[in-house]
Every structure is written in structure tokens, then in C-alpha cells.
Amino acid sequence: MRKIVILMIFITGFYSCDKVEDEYMFDDSIDESWESIADQTSEKLISEFWNEQGYFNYGSNGSDNGFQYWPNAHAMDVVIDTYLRTNDNKYSAYFDPWFEGVKAKNGGNYYNEFYDDMQWNALTFLRLYEITKEQKYMEAVEILWEDIKMGWNEQYAGGGLAWKKDQPYSKNACSNGPASILAARLYQLTSEQEYLDWALKIYAWQKDNLYDRATGAVYDNIDGRTSVVSTVALTYNQGTFLGTAVELFRITADPVYLNDAQKIASYTITKCIDASNNILRDEGNGDGALFKGIFIRYFVDYLALEGINSLYRTKFENFLINNGKVAWNRGNDHNVLLFGKSWSEVPVGNTQLTAQSSAAMLFEGLVRHSKY
């Protein structure tokens, strides 16, 4: 993922609802089922962005046929979501062409200078392996995992995975959260202790260096040369740290991880929001348009856990549903079905793969949640 700088002023006092017992005040009616909405949105992702060379274009309607590595993983994750939901082989038919197409467009391999980009593709390959049991997907995961581990160094910031291969000093939440999720899932699949050791080590480092234990904020990065921490909290990073807490709770049943998850989720839905609509905020075009959907993916995984405080669960579920209602009612023209960087505004003209994937993740997530 290319590094972005987001300059924002977040008004979090008057406009944020911090009390867990706050009454939920938003009500948009939805005439269609979440499944119908997910069908339409995910189908639009494929019809508008799929390139017959075996990858997803960056712009809708042929407006930008460029290839970007990490958004392709998230677009394929939506296709996987849709396949798992429908069991329709028309979606699994994209698996192999995409797997080969991404490799071809990436120069004949799956390596990348950004560690987080490789982590996202490895997570998607792992899902493909779990569905198909085809060894080629696991082999690709293992190849990437060996390279990803090389990003760990203790020369800067006492540990952590670097964000970029030529910047070993830049330790970012975006390169540690997905890696620990990957390691935890590999452990659950293989029972190999090394994977769990990595997941625990990465999570502990991130908790000590890029996490505010008092508030639940996940900070963006630490510059290991100066020890300066960027305290920007993005929904993307909130989501991946939440996702690791969920995976580690599933593995260990240690309530510490459940408590972490509650705090991370609570911070996100009260501080990382468009308070006028009580939805996740607009974090920009390009990479930023994907951030909300990534949070939603792991937020839905969290809500599937047993043991969540009932008052928090109600607040969290209402927030999730409201995002879906606002995005469907206000964030798109139903005759066009394209989504932009904001879930409360209809995009003008063509849209980006990141934005459409993010909205599709929201609606696929709402279907998954409704079935838990």
C-alpha cells in the first residue's frame, strides 16, 4: 500500500457518542434484503472492473485499466465472499484466472516492495486454499510468508515488521496487523507453533508501540530512527489490529484479547466516524477508499464471537446496520450501483476499485452477520 498523508481535523467531543447506553437515533428503512443488495453490489464489482487478462481494473467502465496489486486482493476477497454465500460456481470460475493474472501483471511473481501488499495477497491465497484445497495456493502463501518474515528487525523500534523493503526503520500498523492475522490463521490451519509464536510476537510489539491502551486507538506508524509515533488512527489499522485480537481470542480464549477487541471497536465507531450520519468517515480516494471496508470485514468477525458485553453488542450491531442503510440509501444511485469514497454521497462519474470493493465488503459483511 502506498503511504498516504491524510490531513483532517476530527471533532470528537460534541459529535461523538461515547456512552455505551446511548440511544440509537438513526433510522433509514431498507426495502430489500442484505443478500439482494450484496448480490447487486458484488456483481457490479465484477462487471465494471474485471479484466479478461485476469485481474481487476482500477477504474470502472474501462476508465482506468491499470493494475494495482493490493486492491486486487480485496476485490478477489469479495468474489470469495460471494462464492461462499451463494455456492455458485460462476464465482469460483474467477479464482484461477485471477491467481495467474495477478502473477503475470506483477512481473511473473507475487513479490512486492511493500510488505503489507504481500500480506493481503497471502491472506487471499490462503482463503482460496481453504476453499479449493489446491496446493498451488498454499505454496504461494508460503513463498510470501518467508519473504514477509524478512521485514522483521529489532534495530529500529525494538522489533516490528517494516512497511517497505527499502525503509527498515518505518514500522507501520498496516504491515503488522495483516501479518499477525496471517500468522494466526496459518497456525489454526496447520497447528505449527512457529506461526502462533509469530502472531503473538507481532501483536505484542504492536500493542506496545502503536496502540493506546487507554482509548483503543491504533496509531499509524513509528519512525525507528527518531522514535516519533504518528498518532493518526485510520479505520484500516483499527480493523487489522481488531482482526488479530479476534484470531488470538479464538486460539487462546484469553479474555485479554476480547477486552482489546471491545476497546478497539468502541474507539472506531465513536471517533473514526462521520458524526452527521453515524457511519465510518470518508478517508479519501485511492487507497483510503478501501479502509472502511477492511474495518468492516474484521468488525463482522468480531461480532461473531461469544462473550461480547450485551450493551456493547447492541451498540456495535446498530452501528453496522446503519452503515449499510446509509450506504445503500444515500451512497449510490440504484440505477448505477457504483459507490464512492463516502458512504453518504452518490459518486459522480466513474469510481475506483477501492471504493466499490469497500462497499461490497460492507454488504457481504452484513449478510454474514445476519446469518451468525
Side-chain angles (χ1 to χ4, degrees):
M1 184 189 70
R2 306 301 179 265
K3 192 170 186 179
I4 60 170
V5 178
I6 300 177
L7 300 177
M8 298 178 178
I9 298 175
F10 300 121
I11 302 174
T12 58
F14 179 78
Y15 290 106
S16 296
C17 300
D18 292 324
K19 295 185 294 183
V20 68
E21 69 273 16
D22 284 343
E23 183 179 355
Y24 191 75
M25 300 300 294
F26 296 83
D27 182 25
D28 280 329
S29 60
I30 293 286
D31 294 329
E32 299 184 62
S33 69
W34 292 127
E35 193 146 9
S36 170
I37 292 170
D39 278 339
Q40 295 173 67
T41 307
S42 297
E43 283 283 353
K44 194 69 172 180
L45 172 69
I46 296 170
S47 66
E48 287 283 337
F49 293 90
W50 179 251
N51 188 303
E52 291 303 323
Q53 293 185 35
Y55 69 97
F56 292 92
N57 294 328
Y58 197 67
S60 61
N61 193 33
S63 60
D64 184 346
N65 291 343
F67 168 77
Q68 290 203 21
Y69 184 63
W70 89 288
N72 259 266
H74 294 283
M76 179 47 60
D77 271 331
V78 171
V79 177
I80 293 170
D81 292 339
T82 311
Y83 171 73
L84 291 173
R85 175 170 56 82
T86 64
N87 201 33
D88 190 329
N89 288 333
K90 74 177 182 180
Y91 298 111
S92 59
Y94 289 97
F95 294 173
D96 281 351
W98 176 83
F99 183 69
E100 298 300 332
V102 166
K103 183 177 182 179
K105 295 297 291 186
N106 196 55
N109 60 63
Y110 297 113
Y111 294 121
N112 196 272
E113 62 181 332
F114 293 90
Y115 285 108
D116 58 324
D117 288 29
M118 292 192 294
Q119 293 159 18
W120 286 118
N121 279 272
L123 281 164
T124 304
F125 298 159
L126 189 62
R127 295 186 75 195
L128 291 175
Y129 172 74
E130 290 178 297
I131 292 168
T132 67
K133 303 305 180 187
E134 292 186 37
Q135 195 61 32
K136 65 182 180 181
Y137 297 124
M138 179 57 82
E139 289 172 358
V141 174
E142 291 169 344
I143 288 170
L144 287 178
W145 176 246
E146 289 303 311
D147 199 49
I148 288 164
K149 289 190 297 184
M150 299 298 291
W152 179 276
N153 72 75
E154 298 182 5
Q155 178 182 359
Y156 298 103
L161 288 158
W163 165 62
K164 194 166 179 277
K165 290 181 176 177
D166 63 356
Q167 296 182 18
Y169 52 83
S170 185
K171 305 295 182 64
N172 293 42
C174 71
S175 53
N176 284 274
S180 49
I181 293 172
L182 177 61
R185 290 183 175 177
L186 281 166
Y187 170 75
Q188 292 176 80
L189 188 64
T190 68
S191 298
E192 293 182 18
Q193 184 64 35
E194 180 189 358
Y195 291 127
L196 179 56
D197 292 343
W198 270 104
L200 293 168
K201 180 170 74 168
I202 297 167
Y203 187 86
W205 178 87
Q206 187 170 354
K207 188 171 181 177
D208 287 342
N209 291 273
L210 294 177
Y211 179 62
D212 186 333
R213 297 172 188 241
T215 66
V218 180
Y219 298 147
D220 187 67
N221 70 85
I222 180 171
D223 187 328
R225 300 167 300 181
T226 62
S227 297
V228 173
V229 175
S230 169
T231 57
V232 172
L234 300 169
T235 56
Y236 167 65
N237 296 325
Q238 297 290 133
T240 57
F241 199 52
L242 172 64
T244 308
V246 169
E247 298 295 344
L248 291 177
F249 178 71
R250 286 172 174 162
I251 293 168
T252 68
D254 188 335
V256 167
Y257 298 113
L258 191 63
N259 291 337
D260 286 348
Q262 178 178 290
K263 189 169 290 185
I264 297 161
S266 184
Y267 180 90
T268 310
I269 75 158
T270 56
K271 302 301 183 183
C272 301
I273 63 170
D274 162 9
S276 62
N277 293 291
N278 199 34
I279 60 173
L280 295 173
R281 67 186 178 221
D282 173 356
E283 290 177 309
N285 281 311
D287 287 345
L290 248 176
F291 293 176
K292 297 189 294 294
I294 292 170
F295 172 78
I296 290 293
R297 178 174 296 284
Y298 297 107
F299 189 49
V300 170
D301 286 348
Y302 166 59
L303 291 175
L305 296 178
E306 298 289 340
I308 299 174
N309 176 283
S310 60
L311 291 177
Y312 278 97
R313 178 180 288 281
T314 298
K315 188 179 181 82
F316 292 157
E317 290 179 340
N318 284 339
F319 181 80
L320 173 65
I321 292 167
N322 186 64
N323 274 263
K325 288 180 175 180
V326 170
W328 183 244
N329 285 334
R330 309 180 209 172
N332 81 105
D333 179 337
H334 291 182
N335 294 314
V336 180
L337 291 171
L338 290 175
F339 293 80
K341 60 191 182 68
S342 169
W343 285 344
S344 63
E345 298 176 8
V346 176
V348 177
N350 294 306
T351 191
Q352 294 176 318
L353 178 64
T354 49
Q356 189 71 17
S357 298
S358 192
M361 282 190 273
L362 168 63
F363 296 124
E364 292 289 350
L366 278 159
V367 177
R368 281 196 294 130
H369 175 68
S370 71
K371 294 181 177 180
Y372 284 148

